[in-house]
Amino acid sequence: MGAPPPGGAERGRSGPFGTGEEAAAAVVAVAVVAAMGRLLLALAVGLVAVVAGSQPPLQRRVVREVLEYFHGRGSVHFLFREQSLEGVQERQDPSGTFVQLRVNLVQTNCRKRAQRTHNCKAVENRRRPACLACYKFDTSDVPKVLDKYHNCAPSHHLAVKEIKQRDEAECRAVEEAGKALDALYLPGMFAFSRAYQA
């Protein structure tokens, strides 16, 4: 028997993880599993971002403004966040874009005046109000609000027949905003106004 091969281990001997080749294969397998776990996590985070980003910009803006409106009320002392959206409608006409949606909110454990709001958790068995919002935006590059309507209340109140009828009437009025200006346009008005300026 000669001297052991370089590297200090004798050929054919196995350590706690088998032979050196088996140990190397085990290390590679662990690294591959860890990399796959990181990849799956990255894909999951990316999917959440895609779903959140798939909401059209005007709808995101309405949700943001509804939350600002809701938190601006004096009776609200805790932060609320969006739990879900229902009944989303977005329609365009020559006068602009109409957006109607219902935002279901959930109360968090953070006070309204809290400095840090990124660690706020939903509080179970607390108030879960809903806000109906109707907005009409003009057709400019940065859309301006022509008219809007909010109604925030406990979700079961929004189902009451009288309240529902009032909400529907208010939203119809919001949708009509800006249409009266279109009705005043007559053929040739632009040509005559340009000629008058000259």
Side-chain angles (χ1 to χ4, degrees):
M1 299 259 166
E10 289 185 47
R11 201 176 295 254
R13 277 214 174 156
S14 58
F17 299 106
T19 64
E21 293 162 355
E22 291 171 345
V27 168
V28 168
V30 168
V32 167
V33 168
M36 287 175 52
R38 286 191 300 271
L39 177 65
L40 287 174
L41 179 63
L43 287 173
V45 169
L47 181 61
V48 168
V50 166
V51 169
S54 67
Q55 191 179 37
L58 289 179
Q59 291 177 22
R60 281 196 310 269
R61 182 172 164 189
V62 169
V63 170
R64 218 175 25 252
E65 289 196 21
V66 165
L67 284 168
E68 287 174 15
Y69 164 78
F70 184 79
H71 288 119
R73 300 178 347 166
S75 61
V76 177
H77 302 292
F78 287 88
L79 284 177
F80 285 74
R81 69 176 183 213
E82 171 192 349
Q83 182 180 29
S84 63
L85 290 180
E86 294 178 4
V88 178
Q89 299 177 29
E90 187 168 324
R91 292 189 288 271
Q92 292 182 337
D93 62 40
S95 64
T97 304
F98 172 73
V99 177
Q100 178 178 334
L101 49 82
R102 177 178 160 154
V103 184
N104 295 312
L105 303 174
V106 62
Q107 182 178 330
T108 69
N109 60 348
C110 292
R111 303 286 288 174
K112 185 165 69 170
R113 306 266 184 248
Q115 295 296 321
R116 296 182 183 168
T117 60
H118 61 277
N119 290 329
C120 298
K121 293 181 175 64
V123 179
E124 295 300 321
N125 301 324
R126 291 296 182 157
R127 296 188 311 158
R128 293 188 184 266
C131 293
L132 174 71
C134 299
Y135 276 67
K136 181 70 176 270
F137 296 95
D138 70 5
T139 57
S140 61
D141 291 337
V142 179
K144 295 182 183 111
V145 177
L146 295 174
D147 198 4
K148 63 185 176 182
Y149 170 75
H150 303 113
N151 185 12
C152 296
S155 56
H156 62 277
H157 284 199
L158 295 180
V160 174
K161 184 178 179 183
E162 293 80 19
I163 295 174
K164 195 171 184 174
Q165 288 174 342
R166 183 193 68 204
D167 288 344
E168 289 170 357
E170 292 287 347
C171 286
R172 277 194 302 274
V174 168
E175 187 170 12
E176 294 299 314
K179 288 184 177 179
L181 298 174
D182 291 342
L184 295 176
Y185 179 79
L186 298 172
M189 282 179 68
F190 181 74
F192 289 121
S193 67
R194 296 293 290 176
Y196 183 70
Q197 291 175 357

